Amino acid sequence: MSKTTNIQIAKVHLTSKIWQTFVAVLGVTFGVSMYIFMNSFMNGVNNAQDDLAFSALSHIRIYNLDNKNDYNPIESHYKDSKTLVTILNRKNIQYTTGLNNSSAIVSSVMKQPEVVAIARQVNANVFFRGGSKQVNGIISGVELKSEDELFNTAETVIQGEWNNLLTYKTGIILGKLLAEKLGLQINNSVNVLTSDGVSKNYIIVGIFESNLKTMDETKAYLNITAARQLVGKNSDFASDIMVNIKDRDNTASFIQKIASMIPYQIESWQEANEQLVAGSELRNIIAVAVSLTILLVAGFGIYNIMTMTINEKIREIAILKALGFSGNDIMTIFLTQATVIGLLGALVGAIMGYGISLLINMIPFTIAGMETLPIFFRAQDFLLAIVFGILTTLIAGYLPSRKASKIDPVIIIRG
Amino acid sequence: MEKTISIEINNLIKYFYEPEKFQVLKGLSFTVQKGEFLSIVGKSGSGKSTLLYVLSTMDTDYEGTLKINGDVLTGKTQNQLAAFRNEHIGFVFQFHYLLPEFTALQNVMLPALKLGKLSIEEIEHKAYESLRLLDLKGQELKNAKRLSGGQQQRVAIARALINSPSVIMGDEPTGNLDTKNSRAVQDIFKQLAQEHGQTIICVTHDPDFANNTDRIIEMQDGLILS
Ligand SMILES: Nc1ncnc2c1ncn2[C@@H]1O[C@H](COP(=O)(O)OP(=O)(O)OP(=O)(O)O)[C@@H](O)[C@H]1O
Ligand SMILES: [Mg+2]
């Protein structure tokens, strides 16, 4: 019964100075809502960044590059003898690059349950020529359907059709800026010159505009069979195989799984784009730092308010103790107040954080394919914000409460 | 009624250290019988309030021993003493201290709610009854801070009575009251002492009040004169 009495006393304290309670609750609300907003915003930014990046980047890339430059039979033969070896003007032989048996690899990778999409590409550096203009760039021979599954390329085509590449054997789709540089338009013809000196004419059957400027400036798509012809490779050749898996944060374990079956290089997007990973990590650190600071500041506010309340009530505390209330009772009374302030503040803060985020989500921001400022909600942010909010309040309320519980009543009552 | 000892102090000495070391109580010893109505008189500054704070167990910074109802209270912890006060001692302060944000009724009920021996309904009933006895009918639901000085003092008296403590102490409990109310309080105390065997100790400056009690202790400069 004494417990409920303490709670009732806490209730009277909270309601008799409603304005003070309101300010304290507001402090927590502010901290919690800012925490939620900051994190949702940062998640939104990270997701937007990733979406942007993954419009040209697959989760995993399989390729074969001749990078074995350490083959040196002469030196290794004489290594332990006393013979002095000098090789002048050493040259490396060009080995074949690319994957000549791509369909076997595709079918074995496809068997993995994690895989959501897979596409082969034949990529080559070429010169594009239109009239007297010459621009260097990349030609990408693609499997139309799978390529679109991975990167949604079809919807970036702003003139002509993605599937025109299927119907027109000599069709090509150019990046918008590339076409502009060459001074060419749809249905014009463009000449492509490979590094091996092969030159071929194609009809422009489409123009694409992606969110990445460099792609629009340098890239052109061919059907993969046409590209194989251009670079003079067999009908099972691919220079890269792009794979998307269910959980893109889980590339490492997936690569480990397939590495034994595939005798080529396998690269995850994290390895290929360390700056992307670093950027999102740094943003996360900033978000956590800022939101913790906010909570800390809110905590100090609550500490101040609780200390003020207790100083104001010091005579009442002395009377309660004189009447027989123990130090623990006093502690319960003030911690109850802190708990109520924390709970109320955290709940209202969660709702407000949600509301603020929704408002920010309506602010227009039309760069790189975005329409508004990005917001992404995660349940864990809400949970953490509420837990942190209540915890901060309790800690901020605990110290003054302990002080209150130690007050010696006679000193105050004697006056 | 059989005579048992209610309060016993032995060689009570107390110092104040601010602004300089100064002996307020200079070795007091006396006993109070159960059911006795005792008054303490003496000049202002003679140490009456100081003595009462020691007797009420709130002040623990003294030399000598204090025994109430046979329990040695000297050396107990603050929390033990708080629990003891709650059950056994009712106190009316010299400057009537009520909780200003609570109603008169709530103020009276608090010690009983803390004790937790009766149901809330019983406590409420008892509180209404005490308040009525002290001529506070109609004031029960007013906030304490909206009551007059004399009304506040009577609420404080009602609060001291609520747990039917074995000892009731008052530091000039009728200091703010008119003659009629003062008489009423004296009558209540007298009745509690005689009919319920509650021990009552009151510091007073009012000779009428003092003469109305069973025994008078007179203090001077930290010593008992008679
Ligand atoms: N907190 C304190 N610190 C130092 N000295 C004190 C303190 N409280 C009281 N005194 C001194 O102790 C002496 C006794 O004070 P006390 O309050 O007991 O007197 P009293 O008999 O109750 O007087 P009154 O009739 O005016 O209430 C006084 O000389 C007073 O100045
Ligand atoms: Mg006094």
Side-chain angles (χ1 to χ4, degrees):
Chain A
M1 193 181 271
S2 148
K3 264 257 152 18
T4 58
T5 309
N6 292 339
I7 287 165
Q8 258 156 16
I9 294 171
K11 196 174 136 196
V12 171
H13 283 173
L14 282 172
T15 48
S16 64
K17 288 247 165 67
I18 199 86
W19 181 247
Q20 216 173 49
T21 308
F22 179 72
V23 171
V25 169
L26 215 63
V28 190
T29 302
F30 181 70
V32 170
S33 60
M34 280 300 127
Y35 183 97
I36 287 172
F37 161 64
M38 281 299 294
N39 280 286
S40 305
F41 189 40
M42 284 299 170
N43 289 330
V45 171
N46 281 345
N47 280 358
Q49 188 81 23
D50 287 351
D51 285 349
L52 214 57
F54 289 107
S55 65
L57 180 69
S58 66
H59 300 167
I60 283 162
R61 182 166 82 101
I62 301 169
Y63 62 101
N64 175 25
L65 260 194
D66 169 33
N67 56 2
K68 299 189 192 80
N69 293 331
D70 54 357
Y71 181 61
N72 202 333
I74 298 171
E75 265 176 15
S76 51
H77 185 264
Y78 290 107
K79 203 165 113 197
D80 296 323
S81 70
K82 295 231 155 69
T83 318
L84 181 69
V85 179
T86 313
I87 305 169
L88 294 173
N89 209 2
R90 192 179 104 182
K91 296 242 170 37
N92 286 317
I93 298 172
Q94 167 85 49
Y95 284 87
T96 41
T97 62
L99 316 154
N100 280 324
N101 52 340
S102 63
S103 51
I105 296 171
V106 167
S107 65
S108 74
V109 172
M110 279 287 266
K111 283 196 195 106
Q112 306 302 321
E114 294 95 329
V115 174
V116 287
I118 185 162
R120 287 177 286 183
Q121 294 181 346
V122 173
N123 294 316
N125 289 319
V126 295
F127 283 110
F128 296 102
R129 291 188 293 199
S132 60
K133 290 216 176 125
Q134 175 161 323
V135 175
N136 68 340
I138 300 161
I139 196 101
S140 189
V142 295
E143 300 179 293
L144 293 169
K145 191 159 166 293
S146 347
E147 180 80 6
D148 184 42
E149 271 171 24
L150 259 94
F151 304 122
N152 296 321
T153 17
E155 62 187 42
T156 66
V157 177
I158 52 170
Q159 283 179 55
E161 290 276 343
W162 178 243
N163 281 332
N164 283 351
L165 288 180
L166 270 183
T167 27
Y168 301 94
K169 275 215 167 106
T170 55
I172 190 168
I173 295 180
L174 290 191
K176 185 173 168 239
L177 298 174
L178 178 61
E180 275 171 17
K181 269 203 220 168
L182 292 166
L184 294 174
Q185 278 156 14
I186 192 156
N187 294 332
N188 291 163
S189 129
V190 61
N191 179 265
V192 174
L193 175 67
T194 71
S195 57
D196 293 337
V198 179
S199 162
K200 219 167 174 322
N201 284 328
Y202 294 95
I203 308 288
I204 302 173
V205 294
I207 303 279
F208 74 87
E209 183 180 19
S210 70
N211 293 327
L212 299 172
K213 205 175 158 201
T214 46
M215 251 175 67
D216 297 350
E217 268 175 341
T218 56
K219 196 162 182 174
Y221 289 107
L222 285 180
N223 193 324
I224 192 163
T225 45
R228 281 174 188 142
Q229 259 176 23
L230 180 68
V231 295
K233 299 288 185 182
N234 68 49
S235 62
D236 201 17
F237 176 82
S239 65
D240 305 87
I241 298 178
M242 310 299 218
V243 185
N244 269 9
I245 57 175
K246 277 179 193 145
D247 180 8
R248 67 180 173 219
D249 293 325
N250 235 338
T251 47
S253 65
F254 180 73
I255 288 176
Q256 211 176 19
K257 212 165 109 185
I258 60 169
S260 57
M261 305 185 295
I262 295 165
Y264 301 110
Q265 284 105 318
I266 308 171
E267 188 184 58
S268 67
W269 68 271
Q270 289 100 329
E271 288 171 296
N273 290 273
E274 277 183 322
Q275 84 283 0
L276 209 72
V277 181
S280 90
E281 291 281 301
L282 284 176
R283 274 195 299 275
N284 282 341
I285 292 171
I286 292 173
V288 170
V290 169
S291 38
L292 282 184
T293 310
I294 293 169
L295 278 180
L296 207 70
V297 170
F300 263 111
I302 294 154
Y303 176 82
N304 275 335
I305 288 173
M306 288 299 288
T307 309
M308 235 171 67
T309 314
I310 283 167
N311 284 341
E312 215 170 66
K313 295 227 172 353
I314 203 152
R315 268 165 48 118
E316 285 191 45
I317 294 166
I319 297 164
L320 285 170
K321 285 190 141 189
L323 295 180
F325 284 76
S326 67
N328 277 340
D329 291 325
I330 305 295
M331 191 92 155
T332 313
I333 290 170
F334 286 98
L335 276 185
T336 306
Q337 297 184 41
T339 312
V340 171
I341 289 170
L343 275 174
L344 259 178
L347 286 181
V348 177
I351 296 167
M352 254 182 63
Y354 183 72
I356 291 171
S357 304
L358 287 184
L359 278 181
I360 296 295
N361 199 209
M362 295 192 315
I363 295 176
F365 185 79
T366 49
I367 299 173
M370 285 189 270
E371 281 156 18
T372 60
L373 287 174
I375 290 282
F376 183 73
F377 294 115
R378 288 189 311 187
Q380 73 206 69
D381 291 330
F382 282 78
L383 211 73
L384 266 184
I386 290 173
V387 169
F388 272 143
I390 294 172
L391 223 64
T392 318
T393 320
L394 281 187
I395 294 168
Y398 174 77
L399 300 171
S401 301
R402 212 181 50 160
K403 192 182 131 208
S405 77
K406 295 226 168 94
I407 284 171
D408 186 357
V410 78
I411 292 171
I412 286 130
I413 287 177
R414 205 166 9 223
Chain B
M1 208 181 284
E2 199 194 329
K3 288 214 163 177
T4 48
I5 293 171
S6 171
I7 302 176
E8 183 175 353
I9 55 170
N10 217 322
N11 199 22
L12 199 72
I13 296 171
K14 165 140 188 100
Y15 294 95
F16 277 124
Y17 298 94
E18 297 284 330
E20 67 230 18
K21 189 169 173 181
F22 153 63
Q23 195 174 25
V24 210
L25 304 178
K26 301 171 178 170
L28 307 181
S29 304
F30 63 81
T31 55
V32 185
Q33 302 301 319
K34 184 173 182 294
E36 199 174 19
F37 186 4
L38 180 78
S39 59
I40 302 174
V41 298
K43 278 215 214 70
S44 179
S46 55
K48 306 182 295 290
S49 295
T50 309
L51 171 62
L52 215 55
Y53 285 126
V54 173
L55 293 180
S56 73
T57 77
M58 277 197 287
D59 192 347
T60 52
D61 181 21
Y62 58 85
E63 292 165 28
T65 51
L66 166 67
K67 246 174 154 182
I68 297 182
N69 300 340
D71 285 336
V72 179
L73 296 174
T74 311
K76 293 213 172 185
T77 67
Q78 281 290 353
N79 281 346
Q80 287 171 326
L81 292 174
F84 185 87
R85 280 199 294 278
N86 185 231
E87 184 159 10
H88 299 291
I89 300 176
F91 202 99
V92 186
F93 307 106
Q94 183 163 14
F95 310 102
H96 30 84
Y97 284 102
L98 299 178
L99 302 179
E101 290 158 357
F102 292 72
T103 63
L105 185 71
Q106 286 172 324
N107 265 287
V108 175
M109 287 170 70
L110 267 179
L113 291 173
K114 165 67 193 160
L115 189 62
K117 285 211 171 142
L118 299 175
S119 73
I120 293 182
E121 291 72 35
E122 287 170 301
I123 293 169
E124 201 173 85
H125 178 76
K126 245 182 127 173
Y128 269 112
E129 197 55 29
S130 312
L131 285 169
R132 193 184 56 78
L133 218 61
L134 287 155
D135 198 19
L136 286 166
K137 203 164 163 50
Q139 311 294 325
E140 294 93 345
L141 300 180
K142 271 195 189 168
N143 264 9
K145 62 184 171 209
R146 302 202 195 290
L147 296 174
S148 78
Q151 287 171 329
Q152 290 188 26
Q153 190 152 38
R154 280 176 284 152
V155 173
I157 294 170
R159 185 178 63 187
L161 306 181
I162 188 83
N163 280 348
S164 308
S166 52
V167 182
I168 297 165
M169 299 184 195
D171 198 344
E172 299 190 40
T174 57
N176 277 296
L177 302 184
D178 55 48
T179 333
K180 178 178 156 265
N181 272 312
S182 176
R183 269 305 324 170
V185 171
Q186 291 168 41
D187 291 343
I188 291 168
F189 282 166
K190 221 170 180 162
Q191 191 190 0
L192 290 175
Q194 280 166 6
E195 290 174 18
H196 301 277
Q198 287 167 280
T199 310
I200 303 191
I201 304 180
C202 286
V203 169
T204 182
H205 281 294
D206 177 0
D208 289 342
F209 188 112
N211 289 330
N212 203 7
T213 62
D214 301 340
R215 176 154 66 117
I216 301 174
I217 288 181
E218 190 178 350
M219 284 190 69
Q220 191 179 341
D221 292 335
L223 287 169
I224 293 174
L225 274 189
S226 57

